[in-house]
């Protein structure tokens, strides 16, 4: 029977592109996100080439996660690959001005959401002594920038948690990978700037950013490596992006 990949955040961006890639490669696919209409459109497309199960999942809600896994059809229960792509940034205000509810949402989604879904999937991977958890971190988890505050911190959590999982799972044939993309053009900035599409477009103006398809290739590749190869962390930026010097304020006392 073909392997099963479960993808959170499959309604857009990296998750949607990863679903296409895994389906093309013969995986059966579980699509999860909050917007069922988007999932259904994708399920219809991918259903022509593989078996697809699509259902609503809000990773911030314990009940939703519980209900999602309780309703999984028997033939999709043994998940071979979990891609935790559901996530978001909200705003770029400095820490002293931020709307605390934005921090709450990022923590609930990027940290607790990853924890909830991973915790739900892990026991069956451990029971079958096989599996691969692929988390989507970010360069923001490694390299702080103004306004990145809690978003970056959530992604630093994902990095540390991914490594800790490897430590817990040592001796089992379960791989864990954290992929850390830099600037990629998806719906990410439209969400971050709360529907201000002009502001979102400016993020990518004059650049050649990563695409969702680029990241989908990487997600698939880390899993396609032989089972004894665990890519722990993979950081990737567009060629047009790199570090700059540390900022220095020359007007301070
Ligand atoms: P998109 O906005 O295009 O996709 C985000 C996905 O997350 C959507 O499918 C959305 O689905 C889902 N999602 C958000 N909140 C929830 C929730 N509560 N429950 C379930 N699903 C949810 O952005 P990207 O594809 O770019 O982002 C994917 C991941 O990649 C995120 O974790 C992001 O932080 C990370 N990332 C993005 C980068 C970029 O520059 N684009 C760079 C580095 C990392 P729905 O709204 O239907 O629920
Ligand atoms: C998304 C990349 O630089 O916008 O994680 O934080 S960045």
């Amino acid at each position: 029977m073909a392997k099963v990949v479960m993808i959170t955040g499959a309604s857009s961006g990296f998750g949607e592109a990863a679903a296409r890639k895994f389906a093309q490669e013969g995986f059966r696919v579980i699509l999860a996100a909050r917007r069922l209409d988007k999932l259904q459109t994708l399920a219809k497309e991918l259903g022509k080439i593989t078996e697809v199960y699509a259902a609503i999942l809000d990773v911030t809600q314990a009940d939703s996660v519980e209900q999602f896994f309780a309703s999984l059809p028997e033939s999709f229960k043994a998940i071979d690959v979990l891609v935790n792509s559901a996530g978001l940034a909200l705003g770029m205000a400095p820490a002293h001005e931020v709307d605390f509810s934005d921090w709450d949402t990022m923590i609930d989604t990027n940290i607790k959401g990853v924890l909830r879904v991973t915790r739900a999937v892990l026991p069956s991977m451990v029971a079958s002594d096989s599996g691969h958890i692929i988390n989507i971190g970010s360069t923001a988890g490694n390299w702080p920038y103004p306004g990145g505050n809690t978003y970056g911190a959530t992604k630093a959590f994902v990095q540390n948690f991914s490594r800790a999982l490897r430590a817990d799972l040592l001796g089992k044939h379960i791989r864990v990978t954290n992929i850390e993309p830099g600037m990629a053009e998806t719906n990410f900035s439209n969400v971050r700037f709360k529907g201000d599409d002009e502001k979102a477009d400016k993020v990518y103006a004059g650049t050649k950013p990563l695409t969702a398809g680029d990241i989908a290739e990487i997600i698939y590749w880390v899993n396609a490596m032989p089972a004894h190869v665990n890519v722990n962390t993979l950081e990737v930026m567009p060629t047009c992006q790199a570090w700059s010097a540390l900022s220095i304020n020359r007007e301070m006392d």
Side-chain angles (χ1 to χ4, degrees), residues 108-125:
D108 285 348
T109 312
N110 303 355
I111 295 182
K112 290 171 86 176
V114 167
L115 293 179
R116 280 199 184 91
V117 175
T118 302
R119 181 65 184 84
V121 169
L122 263 180
S124 80
M125 287 188 175

Side-chain angles (χ1 to χ4, degrees), residues 9-178:
S11 61
S12 177
F14 302 162
E16 179 181 349
R20 281 207 180 87
K21 176 68 184 172
F22 277 92
Q24 284 157 7
E25 298 293 341
F27 276 71
R28 292 182 289 135
V29 183
I30 300 173
L31 307 174
R34 292 167 302 180
R35 287 170 295 171
L36 188 60
D37 55 330
K38 297 256 180 208
L39 296 183
Q40 282 170 337
T41 304
L42 183 61
K44 202 167 165 197
E45 174 193 325
L46 302 185
K48 292 176 189 149
I49 54 173
T50 189
E51 278 177 54
V52 184
Y53 175 75
I56 289 185
L57 173 67
D58 183 343
V59 299
T60 68
Q61 303 300 316
D63 290 356
S64 173
V65 176
E66 204 174 305
Q67 164 75 25
F68 183 90
F69 285 101
S71 306
L72 267 185
E74 206 54 46
S75 60
F76 281 93
K77 275 200 193 319
I79 294 167
D80 297 286
V81 183
L82 168 64
V83 179
N84 279 313
S85 191
L88 79 177
L90 287 175
M92 282 192 82
H96 53 284
E97 288 172 9
V98 86
D99 178 347
F100 199 90
S101 68
D102 285 347
W103 281 4
D104 267 338
T105 305
M106 288 189 277
I107 290 166
D108 285 348
T109 312
N110 303 355
I111 295 182
K112 290 171 86 176
V114 167
L115 293 179
R116 280 199 184 91
V117 175
T118 302
R119 181 65 184 84
V121 169
L122 263 180
S124 80
M125 287 188 175
V126 170
S128 64
D129 191 22
S130 69
H132 196 166
I133 294 171
I134 303 175
N135 293 326
I136 307 297
S138 169
T139 48
N142 300 328
W143 318 110
Y145 58 84
N149 44 66
T150 292
Y151 175 67
T154 65
K155 293 303 188 178
F157 175 94
V158 173
Q159 165 66 297
N160 202 281
F161 179 62
S162 303
R163 289 181 175 167
L165 276 178
R166 288 229 58 226
D168 281 358
L169 295 166
L170 184 65
K172 299 181 172 49
H173 297 94
I174 301 175
R175 295 183 284 173
V176 184
T177 299
N178 188 39

Side-chain angles (χ1 to χ4, degrees), residues 192-244:
R192 176 171 233 172
F193 298 123
K194 304 178 180 178
D196 185 338
D197 295 343
E198 219 173 292
K199 207 167 170 184
D201 287 348
K202 280 192 186 141
V203 174
Y204 311 104
T207 74
K208 186 164 186 181
L210 299 170
T211 65
D214 296 329
I215 302 304
E217 290 292 330
I218 291 170
I219 294 171
Y220 179 75
W221 174 78
V222 297
N223 179 255
M225 289 301 284
H228 69 283
V229 178
N230 193 106
V231 177
N232 296 333
T233 305
L234 195 157
E235 186 181 69
V236 51
M237 296 178 189
T239 310
C240 67
Q241 184 177 38
W243 303 268
S244 70

